[in-house]
Amino acid sequence: TGDYVSALRYLQFARQLTLRSGSECSNEFLLEEAECEFLNGNLLSAMTLSSQILVSPGEVTDKAEAASLIAEIHMRRSDSQLALETALAWLAVFGIQLNRYPDQAECDAARMLLKDDVGKNPYTRFRSLSRVSCKKTEAIMNLMASASTFAAFICPRLQFLILCKLLHLTMARGLSGASTLALSWYGVVCGDQYDEYSRGFASALLARELVYKHDFVSYKARTLLPLDQVSIWTMPLTYAIERAKAAFDVGVEIGDRTSACLALRHLVM
């Protein structure tokens, strides 16, 4: 319903009851509270709870989710570099090491490799995929999606490589919300860097279709956001403006203020 204040009040009361009973709050419980604080705009409280998860015993996947939230808090505070380093550091925990400053040749090679893996019909390739079922894989995908977003402001080539790796992982392990984000932003890069405007637009449209088909709620605004950028090359300006407005509306509806603010920036620009 979007009533995060009430939700937070219930969570805090439940945590007090848990502590009074002599039990410890699980990291999953703390993460729910941290996300609620974040959605309420209480960044310091969200950071405190997320940091508590990182130093507590528990599943590495819960810690990865907390790290993703910490990274987004850094972005909200206009520190994209720290946000990127946070996401990359946790990808390294899962054994994924990335060159922070790849050259154009690496990007070109990654693009060709991805084209070979996708085949001639991206719609057939991605529509046939089931949802990812492994929690660890989904955590890695979410970290990669976060890292790609922050890299766009720091090193666009790194963003492109992460998107390619995320799409390879999607084809190997299944779809997630992070997959639709990757498809959509890959479309922007196809047009911006390789002049493949129609292919890029098709990729973003496919991403929109999949994010609604599988109801990846938390990724809806983030997936819709690139559509106004990629459509500007092939569609009337009015279409791009409507797509930016749609991304803004969805961002507000689901509490994704970061995407809503970026969509508003697109409208102003």
Side-chain angles (χ1 to χ4, degrees):
T1 63
D3 187 0
Y4 305 118
V5 174
S6 296
L8 182 60
R9 189 161 54 244
Y10 279 109
L11 285 166
Q12 290 172 339
F13 182 66
R15 182 152 69 101
Q16 290 174 6
L17 290 177
T18 302
L19 293 173
R20 286 174 190 170
S21 70
S23 303
E24 291 187 3
C25 290
S26 67
N27 284 341
E28 188 174 1
F29 191 98
L30 289 175
L31 185 61
E32 289 282 350
E33 189 173 343
E35 290 176 343
C36 222
E37 291 281 17
F38 178 77
L39 290 168
N40 274 309
N42 302 325
L43 300 187
L44 181 59
S45 297
M47 176 69 82
T48 300
L49 288 165
S50 298
S51 299
Q52 184 179 338
I53 294 169
L54 295 187
V55 299
S56 301
E59 295 290 333
V60 69
T61 50
D62 291 334
K63 294 178 185 290
E65 287 188 56
S68 292
L69 185 56
I70 288 172
E72 187 160 356
I73 291 170
H74 290 317
M75 184 181 180
R76 285 277 186 93
R77 291 172 169 170
S78 301
D79 195 341
S80 296
Q81 183 69 59
L82 186 54
L84 176 60
E85 291 301 328
T86 300
L88 292 179
W90 274 87
L91 282 172
V93 170
F94 289 97
I96 300 173
Q97 304 286 345
L98 295 167
N99 174 13
R100 283 163 171 73
Y101 299 101
D103 58 27
Q104 189 59 49
E106 289 179 79
C107 292
D108 293 343
R111 171 172 164 261
M112 296 309 299
L113 187 62
L114 182 63
K115 276 190 169 184
D116 289 342
D117 196 2
V118 171
K120 293 183 178 180
N121 193 331
Y123 279 84
T124 301
R125 189 74 168 90
F126 286 98
R127 279 173 176 163
S128 63
L129 296 173
S130 59
R131 292 180 62 147
V132 65
S133 58
C134 174
K135 189 175 180 180
K136 179 180 176 181
T137 301
E138 188 168 11
I140 292 172
M141 287 177 161
N142 289 338
L143 281 170
M144 293 176 80
S146 294
S148 71
T149 300
F150 311 137
F153 299 97
I154 306 298
C155 181
R157 287 175 180 169
L158 175 57
Q159 178 203 21
F160 182 68
L161 285 187
I162 295 172
L163 293 175
C164 289
K165 288 180 180 295
L166 180 44
L167 291 174
H168 281 297
L169 186 57
T170 294
M171 289 183 281
R173 304 300 296 273
L175 279 169
S176 70
S179 307
T180 61
L181 175 144
L183 267 174
S184 200
W185 280 108
Y186 179 77
V188 174
V189 180
C190 277
D192 189 39
Q193 299 295 325
Y194 295 104
D195 299 331
E196 293 184 327
Y197 305 116
S198 296
R199 184 186 182 93
F201 184 47
S203 182
L205 288 177
L206 175 59
R208 182 178 64 176
E209 173 191 320
L210 294 173
V211 79
Y212 277 99
K213 175 183 177 181
H214 295 281
D215 198 27
F216 297 128
V217 176
S218 64
Y219 275 91
K220 282 182 179 177
R222 285 185 272 183
T223 299
L224 296 179
L225 182 64
L227 193 53
D228 72 270
Q229 291 178 258
V230 70
S231 64
I232 201 73
W233 293 306
T234 57
M235 300 293 287
L237 182 59
T238 51
Y239 180 90
I241 292 172
E242 288 303 314
R243 300 288 69 74
K245 288 179 178 177
F248 174 80
D249 290 343
V250 172
V252 171
E253 179 185 348
I254 66 174
D256 186 351
R257 296 180 185 176
T258 302
S259 295
C261 288
L262 291 172
L264 193 59
R265 174 175 173 266
H266 291 179
L267 283 168
V268 173
M269 293 173 63

